[in-house]
Amino acid sequence: MTINYQYKNVQSPTKITLSDEQTAGHADHWRILTDDMSHDVPEWLQQMIEKAALPKGLNANVSTQDNCLLLSEDQPCHINQVLAMKDGKPECFINAYPCINGPYGLTCTIERMIVNDNSHDAVLRLRSDDGSIIYAFDQLYTANRHLYQQNTPYFVNFSAWAHEFTLSQQDEVIMVEDKEAIRYHRAFNDIVAANDGQVPDDIQEQIQNWQPKTEEQMAPVEINLGHMCAYLFGDTLGQEDEAWCQGQVLGKQETSFNGKSILLFDVVILREQNATPFVVRIGVVNTTETQAIQVNDYIQANIWLQAAIYKENQNSESSNQQSQAS
């Protein structure tokens, strides 16, 4: 009898390792939710143990016999807690951080991981299908750390906590006076409008042939910067998940986190032509100012961007979630 073996060279994404001194930790993230961390956080961690769940991520065989265990909760806003295990029992506490479940996402590949192996903190550098670079904290690194592969597309769910969340500056405008730029802008809008809102395949050729019909069509164009979608990741190694964004609110709902009222805003922060919109569910503490923000408003925010990769979401239906939301 002949036995044939097929060898597969499976490689993990590039990994950059940080020391404890290089890792920022989660104090600033807990401060979003409480002014008394020394009292509230230990109490919350104790309470979650009573109703903790084991998130699987990409791993279908989560076991308490693993040397590290990730605990979570089945709540929109929850805590993830990492414990070191020995003989199936918790040996010591490793890490904990507040999380938000994000129902929207993008298909991305993991270009590299920036990791502290002691704390299990990991920031993923992700490239979306349209080429956008996104950095996000990995909620499920403990469960997924041995399973990620190079050049493999994953559907990634995104969410965030907001350090600051306000209406965008509506008075920030620029005036475009360059004749060629004005011509391109007017031509593009005219052609798309005449094509029932769709961008034709020969758009560039049609723009070249377009001619204004009135003098008003070549008047300067005023662009309101407060009505733009934008995302800028952090520039410090290991803290690229601390981002600034501006975008439009698509949805709003209220939930709670350990008795605190939390508002969940679904915000589109990137909306490029021929690309799936980048929608993030952002959690903010319910205040008079945040409560006043409504659907269709444009906001700007400083956020802690999070990512979660689940096995059950790795199918074509999941990749349609975000386009449906937008």
Side-chain angles (χ1 to χ4, degrees):
M1 180 177 67
T2 302
I3 300 177
N4 294 320
Y5 293 95
Q6 184 177 9
Y7 174 74
K8 285 187 177 182
N9 183 19
V10 177
Q11 294 185 325
S12 299
T14 300
K15 180 178 176 181
I16 298 175
T17 302
L18 300 182
S19 66
D20 291 341
E21 290 73 22
Q22 293 172 303
T23 305
H26 297 289
D28 285 343
H29 304 142
W30 289 115
R31 287 192 188 99
I32 295 173
L33 297 161
T34 177
D35 294 324
D36 191 358
M37 286 190 298
S38 61
H39 174 269
D40 289 343
V41 175
E43 185 173 299
W44 293 343
L45 295 180
Q46 181 61 40
Q47 290 175 355
M48 73 158 289
I49 294 294
E50 301 173 5
K51 50 187 177 181
L54 300 180
K56 294 180 179 179
L58 293 171
N59 188 355
N61 300 307
V62 174
S63 170
T64 56
Q65 297 302 316
D66 295 339
N67 63 353
C68 289
L69 191 66
L70 180 65
L71 300 179
S72 188
E73 301 171 274
D74 187 19
Q75 301 290 335
C77 303
H78 59 274
I79 295 172
N80 277 13
Q81 187 171 173
V82 184
L83 304 176
M85 305 293 288
K86 185 175 182 180
D87 299 328
K89 297 180 180 180
E91 184 177 31
C92 66
F93 169 84
I94 295 179
N95 201 356
Y97 39 88
C99 296
I100 291 177
N101 287 337
Y104 315 114
L106 296 172
T107 298
C108 304
T109 54
I110 303 173
E111 290 197 331
R112 72 183 186 196
M113 305 181 294
I114 306 167
V115 178
N116 181 319
D117 287 319
N118 295 328
S119 64
H120 285 224
D121 285 320
V123 175
L124 304 181
R125 175 185 165 101
L126 303 158
R127 182 181 293 272
S128 68
D129 280 348
D130 70 312
S132 297
I133 299 299
I134 301 166
Y135 284 89
F137 178 84
D138 189 353
Q139 292 184 3
L140 303 176
Y141 178 74
T142 300
N144 290 343
R145 65 192 188 281
H146 300 308
L147 301 174
Y148 292 140
Q149 298 180 19
Q150 277 186 359
N151 304 317
T152 298
Y154 296 103
F155 184 80
V156 184
N157 292 86
F158 290 100
S159 59
W161 285 104
H163 298 281
E164 296 179 1
F165 193 90
T166 62
L167 289 170
S168 62
Q169 299 298 316
Q170 302 299 306
D171 57 350
E172 291 185 14
V173 298
I174 59 174
M175 189 69 71
V176 179
E177 298 180 339
D178 179 78
K179 292 297 183 182
E180 190 55 35
I182 294 170
R183 182 183 178 282
Y184 187 97
H185 174 81
R186 301 294 190 191
F188 182 90
N189 287 345
D190 272 7
I191 294 165
V192 171
N195 201 46
D196 295 326
Q198 301 298 313
V199 179
D201 294 336
D202 62 343
I203 182 68
Q204 295 303 327
E205 181 180 346
Q206 290 195 46
I207 287 175
Q208 289 179 359
N209 296 328
W210 182 88
Q211 294 297 326
K213 297 178 180 178
T214 65
E215 291 185 6
E216 286 76 13
Q217 286 182 300
M218 293 302 293
V221 177
E222 185 178 274
I223 298 177
N224 189 331
L225 297 181
H227 287 178
M228 294 178 63
C229 295
Y231 158 70
L232 299 173
F233 52 77
D235 56 6
T236 301
L237 180 65
Q239 298 178 46
E240 295 93 339
D241 50 341
E242 301 289 348
W244 179 89
C245 69
Q246 179 172 285
Q248 187 176 24
V249 176
L250 304 179
K252 175 184 177 182
Q253 59 184 284
E254 186 175 353
T255 186
S256 63
F257 175 90
N258 288 289
K260 295 180 178 291
S261 178
I262 302 295
L263 296 175
L264 299 177
F265 290 93
D266 298 331
V267 182
V268 54
I269 64 174
L270 285 180
R271 186 161 46 190
E272 301 294 337
Q273 180 183 334
N274 299 325
T276 303
F278 182 19
V279 179
V280 178
R281 174 158 289 177
I282 302 177
V284 303
V285 175
N286 191 347
T287 65
T288 303
E289 290 76 17
T290 56
Q291 184 62 250
I293 297 173
Q294 301 299 321
V295 172
N296 293 325
D297 284 343
Y298 279 82
I299 61 86
Q300 57 189 33
N302 292 316
I303 61 172
W304 177 38
L305 187 60
Q306 303 179 347
I309 302 177
Y310 300 95
K311 183 177 181 179
E312 59 265 30
N313 286 356
Q314 307 310 308
N315 55 58
S316 58
E317 291 184 2
S318 294
S319 61
N320 290 328
Q321 289 183 17
Q322 178 150 319
S323 57
Q324 292 170 357
S326 58

